[in-house]
Amino acid sequence: MQYLKRHYWLYIFLIPGFSYLLLFKYVPMAGIVIAFKDLSLTKGILNSDWVGWYHFETLLTSSNFYRVLRNSLLLSFYQIVWGFPAPILLALMLNEVRHLAFKRVTQTIIYFPHFISWVVMAGIVMSFLSPSTGIVNYVLHTLGFDSVAFLLKPEYFRSIIVSSEVWKEVGWGTIIYFAAISGIDPTLYESATIDGANRFQKMWHITLPGIAATIVILLLLKLGNILDNGFEQIYLLYNPMTYATGDVFETYTFRIGLQQGRISYGTAVGLFKAVVGFALIMSANSLARKISKKSIW
Amino acid sequence: MRSLKRLTGFDVINYGLIVLVSMAMLYPFANVLAVSLSSYSAYIENPTRIWPDEFSFAAYREMLSKPILWSSYLNTIIVTVCGVFFGILLYIVTAYPLSKGYLKGRKLLMVAVVFSMLFNGGIIPNFYLMRELGLLDTLTALVMPMLFTGFNLILMKTFMEHIPEELEEAARIDGASEPYVLFRIVVPLSKPIIATLCLFTAVTYWNNFFNAVLYIRSVDKWPLMLYLNEIIRSANLASTSADGNLAEQGAFDVMPETLQYAAIMVVMIPILCVYPFLQKYFVKGIMLGSVKG
């Protein structure tokens, strides 16, 4: 009681933030009951009939579901293969730069694409790849090749998404590694220089081990988020011609649930993703804790 | 001269590659700017240009004459300002108690925060919540979903944990109330993290498209990104269907393709303006925030 009397302000401060979390995060979590009901708009959520696991059975027997799962995993896989090492490499390269002005200008340039919206990005991608007026086809044409309608071909979709994402985020991704590099004890480099180590040896034996923990944690975090592909980039660039490789959980839930009105089924798809995603991120965190004695959060 | 001498072969290759990467980052923007200032025929002749040809402001004039541009610009500004202001206020008052080691129930509260980051109801329950609250097709529906995130809260909390407690204790002994300590002592000391979060949230709101697709119907409530998307869609429809014949038919004063480039520039200008000034803050803010105990 004495404690409350002394610190009551602290608890008053907490009220708005946690009311927000309750209303906008936890109430929608309760909304997952929709997945176990046959939602009828006239009856409302509470009075609609329970159907148990019906929507999940439909889900597991639907071929669209497996297509979405496959697309989602493959897209994340390629994003990790190309997008994960790139900022590490770039950070190591920039770390070797001695001219501070050069370094600063480069950083200003490479961080910038992160601040561009996906709508702008998709606009640039679409016009660059346009079959009639786009740059890419202009170059192909000049070299004597035929125009290609890249955005209508499923076989190009993943490459387009992955490369635009790498372009946008590679520079931004270096910041966290710079933070890790700045934490390395400078005397290590000094003594290595005295021992006659060259720059590659220092990079290999000091810088890389120094940021290894960060690399492992970020990789685990990426693996934990493997079902998240992001809605905007896909939604803005895909079309019915490229659903075969481009349709992922976010876009599928949106189309099925809100555009086609299969609300309960759409919620079930979303819930599947949320539960599996939660399990993945929890295991990633416990692994990270074991490896580096540090939790991700 | 001395510093030039020290440039080894390794340096030359390294610097060269970095310059290439930077150029790859800059090229699309230079190209968009150049095309937006060129005539349509110059664009068709060579779309790869990074320097305008047959210089013309026509695309911009056309863009700025559209009333939807102004209404959507205003909507985005309103949403961004509200989102940043109320968001930062919420982060400040919530992070402060959570940064106190002696706060009872702190662990449980943090679990509630982290859980809200890791698990969510999904698109449809969120949509229904907005519907039940009567917020569909309002600007409030664009502000609320992203107002308060666990990630930013933790950044702010971590920063506040590093503010020396003695400063606050001294004020408390002088009889200062808790709100006074927070807003007169802790907030001024937290400027770097507040600046960082302002930039992050402002950019998030400015760029967001998803919530508008989900919650907004009427054209007069459109934020900038919905309108930009509309311009881009019609440009690409024109370029795939007409193969440039429309220009000869004189169907448009300004061709949709060049119009979309001007639109992209108009949307990016505010970010281009604030970005260089805030850059020094966010790098520092990220570094401070990522120092976890």
Side-chain angles (χ1 to χ4, degrees):
Chain A
M1 229 28 234
Q2 186 92 52
Y3 179 87
L4 258 186
K5 215 171 186 176
R6 229 185 105 203
H7 296 294
Y8 66 98
W9 265 112
L10 293 184
Y11 291 92
I12 293 176
F13 285 150
L14 288 171
I15 293 170
F18 279 87
S19 316
Y20 175 91
L21 287 183
L22 190 67
L23 181 57
F24 287 96
K25 302 284 172 190
Y26 283 91
V27 168
M29 283 183 210
I32 58 181
V33 297
I34 299 172
F36 301 96
K37 291 194 164 200
D38 184 25
L39 187 71
S40 129
L41 288 175
T42 47
K43 290 183 187 167
I45 294 176
L46 288 179
N47 297 321
S48 292
D49 301 324
W50 290 98
V51 292
W53 296 95
Y54 172 76
H55 296 296
F56 293 91
E57 283 159 20
T58 321
L59 180 92
L60 291 172
T61 51
S62 134
S63 63
N64 272 343
F65 170 73
Y66 290 100
R67 188 177 79 179
V68 166
L69 184 63
R70 199 181 111 89
N71 286 344
S72 205
L73 291 175
L74 270 178
L75 200 58
S76 292
F77 173 74
Y78 288 120
Q79 248 150 13
I80 290 173
V81 167
W82 294 104
F84 187 74
I88 302 175
L89 210 63
L90 192 57
L92 288 175
M93 282 163 64
L94 271 170
N95 190 46
E96 294 299 320
V97 170
R98 305 283 164 75
H99 299 82
L100 279 181
F102 179 85
K103 197 172 175 178
R104 214 170 307 127
V105 171
T106 311
Q107 282 173 319
T108 307
I109 295 171
I110 64 175
Y111 295 158
F112 184 66
H114 171 78
F115 294 93
I116 291 305
S117 85
W118 274 108
V119 180
V120 168
M121 189 67 205
I124 295 177
V125 169
M126 281 193 272
S127 48
F128 276 22
L129 295 177
S130 151
S132 55
T133 54
I135 287 181
V136 177
N137 278 306
Y138 174 84
V139 173
L140 283 179
H141 213 76
T142 321
L143 297 174
F145 294 99
D146 285 336
S147 300
V148 183
F150 290 100
L151 284 165
L152 300 179
K153 304 250 163 138
E155 62 266 37
Y156 294 120
F157 190 79
R158 287 190 196 109
S159 314
I160 293 169
I161 292 287
V162 170
S163 46
S164 51
E165 183 131 337
V166 170
W167 179 84
K168 195 170 180 294
E169 300 299 334
V170 61
W172 186 248
T174 60
I175 291 188
I176 190 103
Y177 295 109
F178 283 132
I181 289 172
S182 71
I184 298 174
D185 183 1
T187 56
L188 288 175
Y189 290 101
E190 285 160 25
S191 50
T193 314
I194 294 167
D195 291 343
N198 67 29
R199 286 161 77 178
F200 275 113
Q201 288 169 324
K202 279 188 262 183
M203 192 195 279
W204 188 254
H205 293 289
I206 302 174
T207 315
L208 261 183
I211 62 174
T214 310
I215 295 178
V216 170
I217 289 181
L218 288 181
L219 183 61
L220 286 170
L221 200 62
K222 282 254 156 55
L223 289 173
N225 286 325
I226 203 156
L227 290 184
D228 295 318
N229 301 99
F231 174 84
E232 296 186 353
Q233 55 266 55
I234 311 274
Y235 178 79
L236 287 161
L237 287 170
Y238 85 158
N239 57 57
M241 310 274 281
T242 49
Y243 282 175
T245 54
D247 200 15
V248 295
F249 276 106
E250 286 94 338
T251 50
Y252 183 62
T253 318
F254 176 77
R255 243 186 21 253
I256 291 292
L258 292 178
Q259 291 185 328
Q260 299 178 9
R262 293 168 68 190
I263 298 158
S264 288
Y265 179 64
T267 312
V269 179
L271 182 58
F272 173 86
K273 176 182 179 279
V275 169
V276 175
F278 181 70
L280 282 172
I281 193 81
M282 287 312 275
S283 13
N285 187 46
S286 70
L287 247 168
R289 210 175 285 181
K290 261 188 209 130
I291 293 170
S292 66
K293 316 272 183 299
K294 236 188 203 177
S295 166
I296 291 172
W297 44 82
Chain B
M1 219 37 222
R2 207 179 293 147
S3 72
L4 274 179
K5 239 186 239 164
R6 277 197 283 124
L7 279 183
T8 59
F10 170 84
D11 280 317
V12 173
I13 295 171
N14 190 31
Y15 280 50
L17 285 174
I18 291 173
V19 169
L20 269 182
V21 170
S22 310
M23 271 160 55
M25 300 283 162
L26 280 180
Y27 175 76
F29 300 117
N31 177 257
V32 168
L33 180 64
V35 172
S36 72
L37 291 168
S38 301
S39 74
Y40 182 70
S41 53
Y43 166 61
I44 290 298
E45 189 195 309
N46 179 8
T48 61
R49 64 183 61 259
I50 52 169
W51 203 252
D53 194 14
E54 297 174 30
F55 194 87
S56 131
F57 269 120
Y60 287 91
R61 218 173 298 130
E62 169 89 10
M63 215 36 245
L64 298 180
S65 72
K66 291 186 189 283
I68 310 180
L69 176 79
W70 296 102
S71 70
S72 61
Y73 227 103
L74 185 67
N75 287 337
T76 292
I77 290 174
I78 294 172
V79 167
T80 305
V81 168
C82 291
V84 171
F85 180 78
F86 293 111
I88 298 293
L89 200 64
L90 272 179
Y91 291 130
I92 290 172
V93 296
T94 317
Y96 176 68
L98 290 176
S99 72
K100 301 285 166 230
Y102 53 77
L103 182 82
K104 279 187 184 154
R106 179 176 185 244
K107 238 194 168 137
L108 191 71
L109 292 167
M110 283 316 292
V111 169
V113 170
V114 171
F115 187 74
S116 80
M117 293 162 72
L118 301 181
F119 192 82
N120 63 74
I123 297 175
I124 295 165
N126 278 309
F127 180 84
Y128 270 84
L129 175 68
M130 287 298 169
R131 210 179 82 132
E132 293 305 310
L133 294 174
L135 295 177
L136 284 190
D137 210 17
T138 65
L139 293 184
T140 318
L142 297 182
V143 176
M144 290 322 256
M146 308 183 295
L147 191 62
F148 187 66
T149 69
F151 181 78
N152 289 345
L153 178 67
I154 290 174
L155 276 184
M156 179 84 93
K157 180 197 95 144
T158 312
F159 187 94
M160 285 182 173
E161 278 166 1
H162 290 92
I163 294 174
E165 182 78 25
E166 295 79 41
L167 290 170
E168 301 166 28
E169 270 318 313
R172 281 194 201 103
I173 289 166
D174 292 343
S177 67
E178 211 61 37
Y180 183 91
V181 172
L182 174 57
F183 287 101
R184 291 292 148 135
I185 294 169
V186 176
V187 167
L189 289 170
S190 307
K191 255 188 207 147
I193 192 74
I194 292 175
T196 308
L197 291 187
C198 277
L199 176 73
F200 285 177
T201 44
V203 170
T204 311
Y205 275 106
W206 194 269
N207 286 341
N208 189 272
F209 171 70
F210 174 64
N211 287 317
V213 170
L214 216 51
Y215 302 126
I216 300 296
R217 294 285 164 270
S218 2
V219 177
D220 62 315
K221 306 266 173 43
W222 274 12
L224 208 41
M225 288 302 155
L226 269 190
Y227 182 49
L228 177 63
N229 184 47
E230 205 56 32
I231 293 175
I232 291 169
R233 299 250 148 221
S234 58
N236 284 280
L237 218 62
S239 84
T240 46
S241 65
D243 288 313
N245 288 331
L246 286 172
E248 289 153 27
Q249 295 160 14
F252 297 95
D253 293 336
V254 175
M255 288 302 292
E257 283 96 328
T258 33
L259 190 67
Q260 80 169 330
Y261 284 89
I264 288 175
M265 288 316 296
V266 168
V267 166
M268 284 202 314
I269 282 166
I271 295 180
L272 278 168
C273 292
V274 296
Y275 170 74
F277 300 102
L278 287 169
Q279 199 212 346
K280 62 171 185 192
Y281 283 111
F282 67 68
V283 174
K284 209 159 109 197
I286 282 240
M287 297 235 184
L288 291 167
S290 63
V291 181
K292 290 180 194 169

